[in-house]
Amino acid sequence: MWNTTILPILTSLIATGLGIFFVWLFNRKRQSDERANQMSHILNEISDIRNKIANGLERSALETAKNEKLWEDVKEDIQEIKDQVAENKALIQKTNEQVAKNKAMIHIINEQVSENKALIQKIDKQVSENTNSIENLINIIEDLQSVTTGMQNIMRDSISSKS
């Protein structure tokens, strides 16, 4: 019984225990390596951040100097603009006066255009009436011509029949 049941069970248990032990050992090694990699990564990131901060401080100092120079230039530009604005105010006033004169002239022209429109409408009406009168005269003349032609034919027939 010892050889047939207990020894194989004991061997199987020892093999299973060794397998579990090796898996546990492998996982522990892997976790240890993973932690070491994470720590390395974190230390590298900290180093990068320190370098970036140092570079940022240097850039900040340079930018501050540039900004101060830029601010002085802006102040000078603002003063020049203020001077130009003061000079342009007189020109704007003259332009406004000219615009007011032009508006008055435009108003007068608009009134003249309105009057001209009324005259043109009257002329169009008169032309239309004259056209109708001419067409009536043409119709009367055509009627007279046909009457005259008819009378000439009657007279010719009458002369021909007497002869």
Side-chain angles (χ1 to χ4, degrees):
M1 171 156 144
W2 177 259
N3 285 342
T4 58
T5 54
I6 295 178
L7 190 59
I9 290 174
L10 194 58
T11 306
S12 176
L13 286 175
I14 291 172
T16 303
L18 284 174
I20 291 172
F21 176 72
F22 286 129
V23 167
W24 175 80
L25 198 62
F26 175 76
N27 283 338
R28 189 163 164 98
K29 172 71 172 134
R30 192 183 53 149
Q31 288 175 353
S32 174
D33 289 345
E34 189 176 308
R35 285 186 194 130
N37 286 338
Q38 287 176 348
M39 290 299 288
S40 280
H41 184 70
I42 290 170
L43 291 175
N44 287 338
E45 286 182 358
I46 290 172
S47 176
D48 287 345
I49 290 171
R50 284 181 183 163
N51 290 336
K52 287 179 182 177
I53 289 172
N55 290 338
L57 291 174
E58 289 174 12
R59 264 190 273 139
S60 177
L62 292 174
E63 289 294 323
T64 300
K66 281 173 46 178
N67 288 341
E68 288 173 359
K69 172 71 171 110
L70 181 64
W71 179 245
E72 290 301 318
D73 292 344
V74 168
K75 282 182 183 177
E76 291 172 6
D77 291 345
I78 289 172
Q79 186 57 44
E80 288 177 14
I81 291 170
K82 284 181 181 179
D83 295 342
Q84 289 175 354
V85 166
E87 292 173 4
N88 290 336
K89 281 186 180 180
L91 293 173
I92 290 171
Q93 181 62 34
K94 289 179 184 177
T95 303
N96 286 340
E97 291 170 2
Q98 187 62 41
V99 166
K101 288 178 185 177
N102 290 346
K103 283 183 179 179
M105 291 181 82
I106 288 171
H107 181 69
I108 291 169
I109 290 170
N110 283 339
E111 289 176 356
Q112 289 175 350
V113 166
S114 295
E115 291 173 8
N116 289 345
K117 276 185 179 178
L119 289 174
I120 289 171
Q121 288 174 349
K122 286 180 184 178
I123 291 171
D124 281 346
K125 183 178 177 183
Q126 187 64 42
V127 166
S128 177
E129 290 174 2
N130 289 345
T131 303
N132 288 338
S133 295
I134 290 171
E135 287 175 359
N136 289 337
L137 283 174
I138 289 172
N139 289 337
I140 290 171
I141 290 171
E142 287 174 350
D143 289 343
L144 283 174
Q145 283 177 344
S146 66
V147 168
T148 304
T149 305
M151 289 184 77
Q152 285 175 351
N153 288 338
I154 292 173
M155 288 172 72
R156 196 175 332 131
D157 289 343
S158 160
I159 294 174
S160 309
S161 66
K162 288 185 183 182
S163 351

